Amino acid sequence: MEMSRYRIFVLFFGIALALATCTTQINFLGTPPISKESAPSSNTSIKSGKELVGVYFMPSWNTSGNPKIDKDSFWSCLSGRDDCAFLKDTGAWGPKGRIYNSRYPYEGPFLERKPISELKGFYKRDDPEVAKKQLQYMKQYGIDFFAYNWFYGRHYYYHRYFGPQSKIYYPEGWRIDGNRDGRVAVPGLPEWDEQLNVLLNENSKLPEKEQMKWAINWCDDSHERWMHWLAIGSPDELARKANYPGESPNKELYLQVHEKITRHWTDNYFKRKDYLKDSLGRPIVYFYFPQDTESRAAFYGISMKSLLDLSQKIAKQQGLPGIKFIAVTAGPMLERERMYGLPTLWQANNPKRPWEGGQYKNRLLLQEYVPRLKGMGFEGMTGYVYHNFFEQYNHSYADMRKTYRGHWEKWSEQFKGDPDFEYQVPVAMGWDMRPMGGTWPQASGFPSEPSKDQVHSTKETFKANLKDARQVSQKYRSTNGNTVMICCWNEYLEGNYIEPTQGHRFNYLEAIWEVFGENQP
């Protein structure tokens, strides 16, 4: 995920050829096309008797700081060193940025990760033709929905009467300041949603049976965003008139922002026909790393349950039957790694000046944190990427398969007696963070664990892992449900991507079809 997320990993863990337009073209790939008649109905979120296959979708963004110069966060790092913002991140790598030398040489560029020509190579993130092909590839190869990594900057104030900002979502009837071009009283707006907007626009143009389902994967994981939020009431922000006297990041405003986030979902997403819903008609929301939200909300004495309850209340007020929240979790499991554990509290060094910083407290190991999820209001959990299972670490894809099997068995067994909490079996394609400097960076500029950037799968090893995941999902169907979550469509900088590229072409999509296609058991 985004730059700050990699820092969070350090803190916590030591831590698609276009859809063929003719049968000849797709048969050349050795994969049968899905006809309109056999495509999953857009009125259901499951394939009867089969696994529902989801994939995470990571957006990219412009790292130049200049809207007229686009340095894509993905493509700039795959193309070389010079324009890769991650390598210059002093927070991750220290004041000199990423240091390369004879012992730790630069190993790029990583042009084998360049998308295929049918996707226009290093495509523009808001290209509607690319978005349409991405949707069609997903559908063609047996993926049922994508979970879009959705980010929100809760600290942004904007002006409803100022043209460039006038279309930013703001709940109808909420207070604005007419003396300041309609400046909103409650800040916050989505970040990096250009791709989502284009994907949804293109999806709505497709025939209903050909549309993809999708869901939000809310990534409230940025420590930088949290500090920007706390700075709303700081003397520096007031002095430069970024904010005004009386605007304070207090408990009341925090809850108003959370309500605004939920209303953004209900007003813009949940009532769409293509949004993923459960059998009761409830929209499904994936919640990435709930400990981030929990620990920061706890600063105000707000519990996770109260936040999810507030979202449920708003959804029901909007005529929805509620929301089904699925936690996306991972973390250390060994006592010696507790210092990197999942926190439940952020505590300011100076409560009167929280913008100056604080500490994450009350850290739990993953196996201690997970049993708390149901009490928070979650009805299931899954994973994004697992890096270890107790003493089992990932130094190869064979290792990763062992790590994942450990998690599958532990959590499936733990929840097999609870029909009200499901474990959605996750699968990853691999891991290799070399384009952005390496895994678990140190302030010295050197990667601390470069061996963990060697988790590379092939079509056959990935396919074998998918088969194992399907078997586990089917074995525990009564409580696990039937969802298998794949990471990821396009985590290019983490080396976790199934979108067709010049390096692996359609191998990973073909593996998905061969395991989860409609004619499979």
Side-chain angles (χ1 to χ4, degrees):
M1 290 190 176
E2 41 104 17
M3 189 173 346
S4 60
R5 184 188 129 193
Y6 298 107
R7 298 181 191 170
I8 295 297
F9 270 144
V10 175
L11 177 66
F12 287 162
F13 189 64
I15 296 202
L17 183 44
L19 175 66
T21 56
C22 66
T23 302
T24 302
Q25 191 174 10
I26 199 69
N27 282 346
F28 176 77
L29 297 174
T31 304
I34 299 176
S35 67
K36 293 182 180 181
E37 291 73 18
S38 62
S41 168
S42 61
N43 296 320
T44 179
S45 65
I46 63 172
K47 297 178 291 189
S48 178
K50 298 180 182 293
E51 268 51 55
L52 182 69
V53 180
V55 63
Y56 296 106
F57 191 109
M58 176 66 192
S60 63
W61 65 96
N62 183 4
T63 64
S64 73
N66 184 343
K68 295 181 179 180
I69 302 174
D70 187 13
K71 292 184 180 180
D72 189 281
S73 58
F74 289 169
W75 314 142
S76 59
C77 291
L78 297 186
S79 299
R81 299 169 52 179
D82 296 341
D83 292 329
C84 182
F86 296 103
L87 303 183
K88 304 170 185 177
D89 178 12
T90 58
W93 295 106
K96 295 182 179 180
R98 174 66 162 93
I99 299 170
Y100 292 102
N101 57 26
S102 59
R103 183 179 179 187
Y104 296 108
Y106 176 68
E107 300 178 70
F110 300 87
L111 300 181
E112 76 282 358
R113 302 187 192 188
K114 185 176 183 178
I116 58 175
S117 59
E118 292 89 338
L119 287 169
K120 302 185 181 182
F122 289 144
Y123 53 76
K124 293 184 178 180
R125 69 186 72 87
D126 59 354
D127 188 325
E129 294 179 354
V130 172
K132 180 179 179 180
K133 288 186 177 182
Q134 289 172 322
L135 294 166
Q136 291 175 321
Y137 285 158
M138 292 181 194
K139 193 75 168 182
Q140 182 74 24
Y141 286 93
I143 297 171
D144 297 287
F145 71 93
F146 63 92
Y148 190 89
N149 295 348
W150 195 82
F151 299 84
Y152 197 84
R154 63 178 75 242
H155 60 288
Y156 289 108
Y157 285 92
Y158 50 93
H159 304 77
R160 298 292 290 157
Y161 303 158
F162 177 57
Q165 300 177 353
S166 61
K167 294 183 179 181
I168 299 175
Y169 171 78
Y170 195 62
E172 185 176 355
W174 281 31
R175 187 166 58 89
I176 61 175
D177 187 341
N179 295 322
R180 295 192 176 105
D181 288 329
R183 193 173 189 269
V184 300
V186 180
L189 50 80
E191 297 182 274
W192 310 329
D193 62 344
E194 299 101 323
Q195 281 168 291
L196 177 61
N197 294 334
V198 176
L199 284 164
L200 298 187
N201 187 49
E202 292 305 307
N203 205 36
S204 65
K205 295 177 183 178
L206 294 171
E208 212 170 305
K209 287 186 177 181
E210 297 177 18
Q211 292 180 8
M212 282 294 296
K213 292 291 186 180
W214 73 282
I216 292 165
N217 180 32
W218 185 22
C219 304
D220 191 26
D221 72 324
S222 170
H223 179 71
E224 282 81 358
R225 289 191 191 87
W226 173 242
M227 297 311 298
H228 286 317
W229 159 259
L230 293 175
I232 287 175
S234 70
D236 288 345
E237 294 295 282
L238 296 177
R240 68 186 185 91
K241 296 184 179 180
N243 298 308
Y244 300 98
E247 294 176 343
S248 175
N250 55 24
K251 178 178 180 178
E252 180 184 10
L253 189 60
Y254 185 90
L255 289 171
Q256 287 177 323
V257 172
H258 185 80
E259 179 176 352
K260 183 180 177 182
I261 291 171
T262 306
R263 289 186 180 277
H264 189 107
W265 298 344
T266 60
D267 290 354
N268 296 287
Y269 302 150
F270 290 170
K271 295 179 181 179
R272 292 179 57 102
K273 291 182 179 180
D274 57 4
Y275 196 89
L276 183 69
K277 298 179 178 66
D278 71 358
S279 60
L280 300 177
R282 298 180 301 170
I284 298 172
V285 171
Y286 290 88
F287 202 125
Y288 178 85
F289 279 20
Q291 70 269 13
D292 294 314
T293 300
E294 180 184 17
S295 60
R296 296 162 193 159
F299 173 64
Y300 297 114
I302 303 171
S303 70
M304 273 293 294
K305 188 176 190 307
S306 64
L307 287 179
L308 298 193
D309 284 349
L310 176 57
S311 293
Q312 297 283 9
K313 177 181 177 181
I314 295 166
K316 291 176 181 178
Q317 287 174 346
Q318 301 298 313
L320 295 163
I323 303 171
K324 182 174 183 176
F325 286 104
I326 306 292
V328 182
T329 63
M333 304 179 75
L334 298 172
E335 187 60 43
R336 66 173 183 263
E337 298 174 329
R338 186 174 291 276
M339 68 183 73
Y340 307 114
L342 287 62
T344 61
L345 172 67
W346 185 87
Q347 191 173 75
N349 295 330
N350 182 344
K352 294 182 179 181
R353 301 174 65 85
W355 56 85
E356 293 180 346
Q359 303 293 322
Y360 291 90
K361 303 281 189 176
N362 303 345
R363 295 180 179 276
L364 302 178
L365 301 178
L366 182 62
Q367 65 270 28
E368 297 168 342
Y369 195 88
V370 167
R372 303 170 64 251
L373 291 172
K374 187 175 180 179
M376 297 178 192
F378 290 100
E379 295 181 58
M381 68 171 257
T382 187
Y384 200 80
V385 179
Y386 292 137
H387 296 279
N388 79 309
F389 181 74
F390 292 102
E391 295 282 358
Q392 173 66 51
Y393 292 93
N394 300 339
H395 297 279
S396 68
Y397 198 67
D399 287 343
M400 176 175 269
R401 292 183 63 186
K402 294 176 183 177
T403 293
Y404 272 65
R405 282 196 292 269
H407 282 281
W408 295 345
E409 182 175 351
K410 178 174 177 60
W411 307 123
S412 295
E413 283 291 316
Q414 181 161 328
F415 300 117
K416 70 178 182 180
D418 189 347
D420 298 321
F421 192 93
E422 67 183 76
Y423 177 60
Q424 298 185 354
V425 180
V427 182
M429 170 265 197
W431 182 266
D432 182 352
M433 276 180 56
R434 288 177 299 159
M436 58 185 305
T439 290
W440 315 150
Q442 295 179 338
S444 63
F446 299 118
S448 58
E449 299 179 271
S451 65
K452 293 186 178 179
D453 289 318
Q454 301 300 317
V455 185
H456 302 147
S457 65
T458 64
K459 175 182 177 179
E460 291 309 314
T461 58
F462 180 62
K463 179 178 177 179
N465 210 13
L466 291 174
K467 286 182 176 180
D468 291 344
R470 184 187 67 193
Q471 184 178 30
V472 172
S473 182
Q474 292 175 341
K475 177 180 177 181
Y476 294 94
R477 173 68 61 84
S478 61
T479 50
N480 272 8
N482 68 332
T483 301
V484 172
M485 289 299 298
I486 298 175
C487 186
C488 294
W489 179 259
N490 59 340
E491 276 280 19
Y492 284 105
L493 303 188
E494 292 184 349
N496 206 331
Y497 54 99
I498 64 171
E499 183 171 65
T501 64
Q502 293 184 2
H504 63 60
R505 298 292 295 175
F506 286 80
N507 286 349
Y508 293 93
L509 293 184
E510 290 174 354
I512 292 170
W513 171 258
E514 290 166 14
V515 175
F516 295 107
E518 61 184 17
N519 297 321
Q520 301 301 315

